[in-house]
């Protein structure tokens, strides 16, 4: 029975699908509501950077999650998603970095799970159940 629970390929697939699908939903929301990209551009401009960098969020929240879901260049996809989350934390959530939510959890639980899940994909790779196993 315990041997049936030891399945690295399935675990990597669950991780890729979970992180990829959940981040992809954020990217789809940005595609549906393009004003979000303008808002991100304003945040980037406030840091003295060019606003066109806001389109990078589409790489981190649409292209990279699709790559992870399919298992094509999964390590690169994980790196892109992790970088996207670091930028999001710095630009939008830095004031919450050391705070707790009303329920006692970290205020950045979601961002943290996305970041660390993406990093796990970087280190674990796609597994056998992938379009291009690595």
């Amino acid at each position: 029975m315990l041997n049936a629970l030891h399945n690295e390929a399935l675990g990597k697939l669950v991780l890729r699908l979970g992180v990829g699908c959940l981040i992809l939903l954020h990217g789809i929301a940005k595609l549906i509501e393009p004003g979000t990209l303008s808002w991100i551009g304003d945040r980037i401009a406030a840091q003295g950077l060019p606003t066109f960098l806001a389109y990078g969020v589409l790489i981190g929240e649409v292209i990279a999650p699709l790559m992870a879901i399919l298992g094509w260049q999964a390590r690169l996809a994980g790196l892109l998603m992790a970088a996207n989350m670091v930028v999001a934390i710095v630009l939008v959530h830095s004031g919450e970095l050391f705070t707790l939510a009303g329920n006692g959890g970290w205020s950045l639980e979601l961002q943290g799970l996305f970041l660390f899940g993406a990093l796990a994909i970087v280190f674990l790779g796609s597994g056998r159940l992938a379009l291009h196993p690595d």
Side-chain angles (χ1 to χ4, degrees):
M1 175 67 178
L2 291 178
N3 280 340
L5 296 178
H6 183 79
N7 189 331
E8 285 185 35
L10 185 58
K12 291 175 183 180
L13 176 65
V14 169
L15 178 65
R16 285 191 354 257
L17 291 178
V19 172
C21 288
L22 291 172
I23 291 178
L24 179 61
L25 292 173
H26 288 265
I28 291 170
K30 287 173 180 70
L31 290 173
I32 292 170
E33 181 52 52
T36 308
L37 289 176
S38 297
W39 181 83
I40 294 169
D42 292 342
R43 301 294 293 223
I44 289 172
Q47 300 297 317
L49 299 169
T51 59
F52 76 86
L53 292 176
Y55 291 98
V57 74
L58 299 179
I59 294 170
E61 293 185 8
V62 176
I63 295 171
L66 289 172
M67 291 168 60
I69 290 165
L70 295 172
W72 180 75
Q73 298 292 323
R75 291 177 195 272
L76 175 60
L79 187 62
L80 292 169
M81 291 184 293
N84 184 74
M85 292 314 306
V86 169
V87 171
I89 290 169
V90 169
L91 286 180
V92 181
H93 302 286
S94 58
E96 303 167 89
L97 198 54
F98 300 106
T99 63
L100 297 177
N103 63 0
W106 185 32
S107 294
L108 300 182
E109 279 179 348
L110 180 63
Q111 294 81 5
L113 282 171
F114 285 164
L115 173 60
F116 297 121
L119 286 174
I121 293 170
V122 170
F123 294 116
L124 294 172
S126 64
R128 290 183 292 113
L129 302 174
L131 183 65
H132 186 270
D134 58 6

